[in-house]
Amino acid sequence: MSSVLGLALAATGEWKAPHLDYHALAPEIVLTVVAMVVLIVDLFVDETRKFIITTVAGIGVALSAIPLLTLAADGSSRSMFDGAYVVDKYSLLFKGLFLVAGYIVLLMSSNYLSEGDYYEGEYSFLLVTSMLGMVVMASARDLITIFVALEMLSIPAYLLAGWRKRDLKSNEAALKYYLLGVVASTVMLYGMSLIYGITGETTLVGISDNMTSKPIAIVGIFMIICGFAFKVSAVPFHQWAPDTYEGAPTPITAYLSVASKAAGFVALTQLVFVGFFGQKEVWQPTFWIFAVLTMVVGNLTALRQTNIVRMLAYSSIAQAGFILAPLAVAAENNTTAKSAFTAVSLYLLVYTLMNLGAFSMVIAVARKTRSGEISSFDGLFHYAPFPTVMMTLFMFSLAGIPPLGGFWAKFYVFKALLDAGNLWAIILAVVASVNSVIAFFYYASVMRAMWMRPNPDGDTRPIKIPPSLGAAMVLCAIGVVAVGVYPTLFTELVDLASLSR
């Protein structure tokens, strides 16, 4: 019926086909083709050679980055579907980040899957599909597009969280993630419907131009923020994260902790800076409360953990609080808007690298110890000095110790808070400072285990790190060190990637 109506409208000249810029859509098109190729290759590859599928997916993801370079060289902003889909410097920056993160996760997954007797073809297909959702999210400037992108990245993630099908913890992880995710999506979608009912618009620019201060608008904005608070595991919507992170395969835990969380923050940034910027009295106090609760609860709970995956899960919750903090002051003045945008973008970049690096080390150590306990790192330096140095680098960066990238990420968060200059911003800066000190204690516990404790079982055989896993580790380390040594280079890159209306 709709196609007949479309043909009738086209015949009368009242309807025009949407303009498609295939160059701008090239990364999405390549990822779609890669997903299809992976699915087809899986049908013809023998069970003993399933590792080829992950390799094909990794090559395809690398190829999808080529159009990003040509679009960046072109430099112009491209808009489609009446402003619902925008390809600008901002979207290119985060598409690049998502592709790098996805490629590193595929490197981490290669031997993990083959040695664990998991289904490799479907795994790579779902991971690439989820990455496609994140890439679409970076360009989405419309409520419908944002929601579709969010579900595109989330639904494969629900399945990947339960990939260890014969493991009860993995089953529990997938079930919790799915049920709570559905509730969060429902709340968010209802909030979006309220905003559309008030403004008559779904594009963020149209919403900004037609938004009113009616109570129903406040409810709509609050519900949308709460929906995304689940995606970024902000307190009190964080309950799914620790169990899901522990039960999911470790590469997927790394993926959920960084890539999907980064996609949630990208969507929040677009909503705040483009759609809801004029309604700061609604979202700034909400982000302030979320930031404080998330930092405090995440750090205090991480202190009590003995399992390193759960510790990193609560650490990622606390890190989300730091990323939320600049958004709580983003609309105070022009200076804080720019500072907040820089702080959030740089933190997402550094956090992705240092957290993926930490999880790659967890996989490497577990290959020998078959344990996720922090005690399994005891005496690591005596038989694996290189992995020890790598893990120390990632832990120091997560703690915000100079001269690594994590220090500059936190520095720009504090800069944004101090630029605001009001009492609430200063209080938030004090809370963030105290939590930075608390976080150092549990990161230091891992370093103490590696450097200062003896190896309890006396097994000093070296850890065998597969080339793909070692490459993931080294790529993350190079990125963390590069940001620490040349922070201005990356802040200038972030500043160039301003949001287009």
Side-chain angles (χ1 to χ4, degrees):
M1 181 66 182
S2 60
S3 60
V4 174
L5 180 60
L7 289 171
L9 290 172
T12 59
E14 296 180 12
W15 179 82
K16 293 182 179 180
H19 166 67
L20 293 177
D21 187 331
Y22 291 103
H23 186 195
L25 293 172
E28 290 86 340
I29 294 171
V30 173
L31 279 180
T32 303
V33 172
V34 170
M36 295 299 103
V37 169
V38 165
L39 204 58
I40 294 170
V41 170
D42 182 45
L43 297 175
F44 299 98
V45 174
D46 184 75
E47 288 293 330
T48 60
R49 299 179 62 81
K50 289 290 185 182
F51 64 89
I52 293 175
I53 299 169
T54 310
T55 304
V56 170
I59 294 172
V61 170
L63 289 175
S64 67
I66 295 176
L68 294 182
L69 299 177
T70 59
L71 287 165
D74 179 80
S76 59
S77 296
R78 300 157 185 258
S79 179
M80 290 169 279
F81 311 110
D82 294 326
Y85 202 83
V86 177
V87 177
D88 54 6
K89 293 177 181 178
Y90 173 84
S91 65
L92 293 177
L93 173 68
F94 283 103
K95 286 180 183 184
L97 176 62
F98 296 149
L99 291 177
V100 168
Y103 182 75
I104 291 173
V105 171
L106 283 168
L107 289 176
M108 295 165 62
S109 302
S110 182
N111 289 84
Y112 187 93
L113 290 174
S114 59
E115 294 173 0
D117 192 28
Y118 299 122
Y119 297 92
E120 292 200 44
E122 299 92 332
Y123 176 96
S124 298
F125 169 76
L126 289 172
L127 187 55
V128 172
T129 305
S130 184
M131 290 170 56
L132 176 60
M134 292 192 297
V135 169
V136 171
M137 180 70 81
S139 287
R141 301 290 192 276
D142 175 88
L143 294 181
I144 298 173
T145 314
I146 288 173
F147 183 77
V148 170
L150 188 65
E151 294 307 299
M152 190 185 297
L153 75 89
S154 297
I155 292 173
Y158 299 149
L159 297 171
L160 290 169
W163 210 243
R164 298 190 296 196
K165 297 177 178 63
R166 291 174 289 275
D167 188 324
L168 292 179
K169 281 189 175 181
S170 190
N171 297 337
E172 180 187 1
L175 188 61
K176 282 186 176 180
Y177 188 28
Y178 168 71
L179 292 177
L180 293 174
V182 168
V183 172
S185 296
T186 304
V187 171
M188 182 194 309
L189 192 59
Y190 189 71
M192 289 179 174
S193 70
L194 294 178
I195 297 300
Y196 173 71
I198 294 168
T199 63
E201 293 281 350
T202 58
T203 62
L204 299 185
V205 173
I207 290 170
S208 177
D209 294 338
N210 294 278
M211 180 65 76
T212 64
S213 298
K214 294 180 180 179
I216 196 70
I218 296 173
V219 174
I221 293 172
F222 182 73
M223 293 179 77
I224 292 172
I225 291 174
C226 287
F228 278 106
F230 168 86
K231 300 299 179 183
V232 303
S233 62
V235 176
F237 305 100
H238 69 292
Q239 295 92 338
W240 63 275
D243 291 334
T244 300
Y245 286 12
E246 185 178 9
T250 308
I252 295 305
T253 299
Y255 177 77
L256 294 175
S257 72
V258 294
S260 62
K261 179 175 291 189
F265 274 112
V266 165
L268 274 177
T269 303
Q270 292 167 176
L271 287 166
V272 165
F273 283 95
V274 181
F276 304 148
F277 198 75
Q279 309 297 315
K280 69 175 185 178
E281 66 279 358
V282 180
W283 52 265
Q284 281 201 157
T286 304
F287 284 132
W288 195 96
I289 294 170
F290 281 166
V292 171
L293 289 176
T294 304
M295 283 188 285
V296 172
V297 173
N299 279 317
L300 291 180
T301 313
L303 281 173
R304 302 169 52 195
Q305 304 305 312
T306 58
N307 182 286
I308 193 163
V309 175
R310 290 187 72 88
M311 187 208 80
L312 288 173
Y314 283 106
S315 160
S316 74
I317 292 170
Q319 298 284 354
F322 278 97
I323 305 173
L324 285 167
L327 296 177
V329 298
E332 290 300 316
N333 52 62
N334 291 335
T335 301
T336 55
K338 184 176 182 298
S339 297
F341 180 84
T342 301
V344 171
S345 300
L346 184 67
Y347 210 115
L348 288 175
L349 171 64
V350 177
Y351 170 75
T352 297
L353 294 172
M354 58 191 181
N355 224 47
L356 285 177
F359 276 108
S360 66
M361 270 301 308
V362 171
I363 294 173
V365 174
R367 283 171 55 83
K368 177 182 178 181
T369 63
R370 300 298 172 187
S371 172
E373 296 298 306
I374 295 176
S375 58
S376 66
F377 285 75
D378 287 356
L380 185 66
F381 175 72
H382 299 292
Y383 60 89
F386 174 73
T388 302
V389 171
M390 289 288 101
M391 190 60 164
T392 301
L393 185 148
F394 297 131
M395 290 292 103
F396 268 130
S397 186
L398 284 165
I401 304 299
L404 300 173
F407 166 76
W408 291 106
K410 284 187 168 60
F411 172 84
Y412 281 98
V413 168
F414 287 114
K415 181 179 183 300
L417 296 176
L418 295 178
D419 282 345
N422 59 44
L423 178 61
W424 293 107
I426 293 171
I427 292 173
L428 188 54
V430 171
V431 172
S433 301
V434 173
N435 276 276
S436 295
V437 176
I438 295 172
F440 181 76
F441 280 92
Y442 57 80
Y443 292 129
S445 69
V446 179
M447 292 183 280
R448 183 171 66 250
M450 294 188 298
W451 290 91
M452 303 177 68
R453 288 178 182 166
N455 186 9
D457 55 9
D459 185 2
T460 58
R461 290 175 299 170
I463 295 175
K464 295 180 180 178
I465 301 178
S468 59
L469 185 59
M473 202 181 301
V474 171
L475 284 174
C476 293
I478 290 173
V480 169
V481 172
V483 177
V485 175
Y486 301 107
T488 54
L489 174 65
F490 291 90
T491 54
E492 288 173 2
L493 177 65
V494 167
D495 289 340
L496 284 174
S498 57
L499 272 165
S500 299
R501 283 175 59 88

